[in-house]
Amino acid sequence: MTSPKALHNPKKAPISLRDGCLEDKEHLISWLKEPDVLNWYPMYNDAEIQDAANYWISFAEKKALLVAEYEGIPCGLVNLYLQSSKKLAHHALLAIIVSEKLRGKGVGTALLEGIKQRAKETFRMEMLLLEVYDKNPAIRLYERCGFRKYGFQKQFIREPNQYVGKHLMQLDL
């Protein structure tokens, strides 16, 4: 997937996937700063967003980061948190974000399909994992793409007036 792979759907504009690079950090930061996005991520302020973006983008060097482009414009990103331990290399946690402006257009599906292929073919993984906050609308996307819930952590995030739980999901490759 080093060259863009167009995913065509007659009802939707073509989406292409490409390997992510360090320059994609600015896009990631802008998506994390969109209104209400941090309701679904653990970052709280600009410093935490910078730290998270640095970590996500660091996986570009290992070819474990894909960027989606919609009509040629970057609009989403997915990465695999590769394990350094050989005993854990059969699986990886993933993180995904899609620009609010382009949700519902197949971008998330394209990113998940692309990273599943990359995980299986390039990294010889057997399983993908993800963590998603309770009531996050993206849960439907993950289930459509084959992820299944296997656990729930009730008090994962402490917001000012309440705790928010997270679902643990996995996909066998």
Side-chain angles (χ1 to χ4, degrees):
M1 220 174 295
T2 53
S3 61
K5 176 184 175 185
L7 303 173
H8 295 283
N9 181 330
K11 296 179 184 175
K12 300 174 184 171
I15 298 163
S16 61
L17 298 179
R18 63 170 172 79
D19 288 314
C21 61
L22 298 179
E23 290 76 23
D24 290 312
K25 180 179 165 184
E26 67 184 71
H27 300 297
L28 174 56
I29 290 170
S30 71
W31 302 325
L32 287 168
K33 290 184 175 184
E34 289 175 342
D36 301 322
V37 168
L38 292 187
N39 289 339
W40 311 116
Y41 294 93
M43 291 75 80
Y44 178 73
N45 57 31
D46 285 344
E48 291 180 1
I49 289 171
Q50 282 289 335
D51 285 346
N54 287 335
Y55 189 56
W56 282 30
I57 293 297
S58 72
F59 289 93
E61 296 172 7
K62 298 175 183 176
K63 301 289 186 198
L65 180 80
L66 295 177
V67 172
E69 293 182 344
Y70 184 86
E71 297 180 345
I73 300 168
C75 60
L77 177 148
V78 63
N79 77 309
L80 297 172
Y81 292 114
L82 298 177
Q83 301 289 334
S84 58
S85 170
K86 189 166 180 73
K87 289 182 179 182
L88 299 175
H90 66 285
H91 65 77
L93 184 67
L94 68 84
I96 184 171
I97 188 166
V98 174
S99 173
E100 283 184 321
K101 299 173 202 121
L102 289 166
R103 291 187 189 149
K105 298 197 181 293
V107 175
T109 300
L111 284 166
L112 289 173
E113 291 303 319
I115 208 68
K116 286 190 317 190
Q117 180 182 351
R118 177 69 52 94
K120 192 172 183 177
E121 293 175 8
T122 302
F123 298 108
R124 307 287 185 242
M125 290 185 180
E126 300 168 16
M127 181 187 318
L128 292 178
L129 307 167
L130 63 82
E131 300 172 348
V132 58
Y133 292 179
D134 194 30
K135 299 184 177 131
N136 185 326
I139 292 171
R140 291 186 310 275
L141 165 67
Y142 304 143
E143 290 174 335
R144 275 195 322 269
C145 289
F147 285 85
R148 298 290 168 246
K149 294 176 186 172
Y150 70 90
F152 184 75
Q153 184 176 348
K154 190 174 179 181
Q155 295 181 331
F156 178 65
I157 294 285
R158 186 170 64 171
E159 296 289 354
N161 299 318
Q162 67 178 350
Y163 284 98
V164 178
K166 73 174 176 181
H167 297 275
L168 307 173
M169 300 182 80
Q170 75 180 46
L171 172 74
D172 294 327
L173 300 172

